[in-house]
Amino acid sequence: MAVQAINGQTRIVGIFGDPIAHTRSPAMQNAAFQACNLPYVYVPYLVRPSELSRAVQGIRALNLAGVNVTVPHKERIIRYLDTLSDEATLCRAVNTVVNREGHLFGDNTDGRGFLQSLQEYGLSPTQGEVVLIGAGGSARAVLVSLMRAGYGPITIVNRTIAKAKSLLRSYCNLGKTQLSTLPLGALQDAQLLKRTSLIINSTSVGLHGEDFFPLAYGVTPRNCLFYDLLYRPEPTSFLRRAQKARRTMLDGRAMLLHQGALAFTLWTGVSAPLIPMRGALFKALQ
Ligand code: ATR
């Protein structure tokens, strides 16, 4: 929205995080509001951890329409909210808050955004095995959504095997999906990778340009999709090798777009204009 168009009817949404200067969500969400001609503005809020409780009170006090929530608040914000979606309860993390006349509803659109990007790409739940590398917060959101949508069997691969096992224990009763765990060295296991249709990197490895773990890229099926939740550097070190092996790839921009699209709809009730959102996001990331 042009500054001149802000008036007494304008609704404010934003994002709480620390740090926040890097966020590209304002570009993406403001492009969406503009494309749909909606009277909303999206702004970044630097919220220190010690201020989180007061910042959440501020959502009510200032009548914000809602917020996105990012690192390091996604888990701790739960205690300050009124109700949670099933997804947020299962993941124990919130990335979107909706202010319903002072009642704060917490949802998590990360995993569903990930799923939407898979569906947009055309990978259906019946197409083969999944390898999920990493067992942190983002792995949790992705795992829950994959299981709820019926993807699998899923193998969780992590440096610290105890964390992979703990993730498995948390969700093994969620559905019928067969879950297993393996240590990182298993990425060289040709038998597993031969059956895999989707390999996801949810670790931060590669963020600072370091090489990815040895992985038998060449034995994966020709149509195996490599999905890195990171999007920097482009291509990420996980995807660089996939590219060399001529495999198809998605990076974290796809998930970022779709989690944002779902948040947009939660706040406005309007289906998200993906084309201008994608355009604004990719431009902001250049
Ligand atoms: P996020 O919320 O982004 O998922 P996180 O919860 O800190 O972040 O999880 C980070 C993940 O990256 C973990 O799976 C972590 O592995 P460990 O559980 O063994 O710590 C993984 N990770 C980070 N740096 C790594 C490295 N250098 N080698 C292997 N795995 C790494």
Side-chain angles (χ1 to χ4, degrees), residues 100-153:
R100 296 174 174 160
E101 294 174 11
H103 179 103
L104 299 185
F105 170 73
D107 198 353
N108 192 320
T109 67
D110 284 333
R112 297 204 306 281
F114 176 82
L115 270 192
Q116 296 238 316
S117 68
L118 282 188
Q119 280 150 13
E120 185 179 50
Y121 169 83
L123 189 77
S124 72
T126 53
Q127 276 175 295
E129 295 201 21
V130 178
V131 171
L132 174 59
I133 309 171
S138 40
R140 182 181 291 275
V142 163
L143 180 67
V144 165
S145 294
L146 285 171
M147 291 183 74
R148 295 185 81 180
Y151 285 83

Side-chain angles (χ1 to χ4, degrees), residues 7-172:
N7 62 30
Q9 308 295 317
T10 305
R11 302 299 316 272
I12 297 175
V13 285
I15 179 163
F16 289 180
D18 179 14
I20 203 62
H22 65 284
T23 180
R24 301 298 191 268
S25 291
M28 173 170 72
Q29 297 291 357
N30 286 320
F33 295 138
Q34 200 162 9
C36 296
N37 207 14
L38 290 169
Y40 283 74
V41 178
Y42 186 105
V43 290
Y45 291 99
L46 173 64
V47 175
R48 302 287 189 211
S50 59
E51 294 294 334
L52 182 61
S53 146
R54 295 203 298 173
V56 174
Q57 271 304 335
I59 300 174
R60 297 189 185 92
L62 301 172
N63 194 30
L64 306 189
V67 289
N68 278 140
V69 184
T70 188
V71 178
H73 305 310
K74 284 183 172 185
E75 290 168 23
R76 211 165 60 86
I77 198 168
I78 287 177
R79 69 191 72 175
Y80 306 121
L81 303 177
D82 298 311
T83 48
L84 294 181
S85 68
D86 288 352
E87 208 98 7
T89 306
L90 280 167
C91 301
R92 285 182 259 133
V94 160
N95 82 330
T96 304
V97 175
V98 186
N99 182 6
R100 296 174 174 160
E101 294 174 11
H103 179 103
L104 299 185
F105 170 73
D107 198 353
N108 192 320
T109 67
D110 284 333
R112 297 204 306 281
F114 176 82
L115 270 192
Q116 296 238 316
S117 68
L118 282 188
Q119 280 150 13
E120 185 179 50
Y121 169 83
L123 189 77
S124 72
T126 53
Q127 276 175 295
E129 295 201 21
V130 178
V131 171
L132 174 59
I133 309 171
S138 40
R140 182 181 291 275
V142 163
L143 180 67
V144 165
S145 294
L146 285 171
M147 291 183 74
R148 295 185 81 180
Y151 285 83
I154 303 175
T155 305
I156 308 163
V157 179
N158 199 43
R159 172 178 62 181
T160 312
I161 191 70
K163 278 205 213 161
K165 288 192 170 149
S166 154
L167 200 56
L168 180 145
R169 275 196 302 278
S170 301
Y171 298 114
C172 55

Side-chain angles (χ1 to χ4, degrees), residues 133-139 158-160 163 184 202-205 210 213:
I133 309 171
S138 40
N158 199 43
R159 172 178 62 181
T160 312
K163 278 205 213 161
L184 264 182
S202 75
T203 74
S204 49
V205 175
E210 66 273 36
F213 324 107

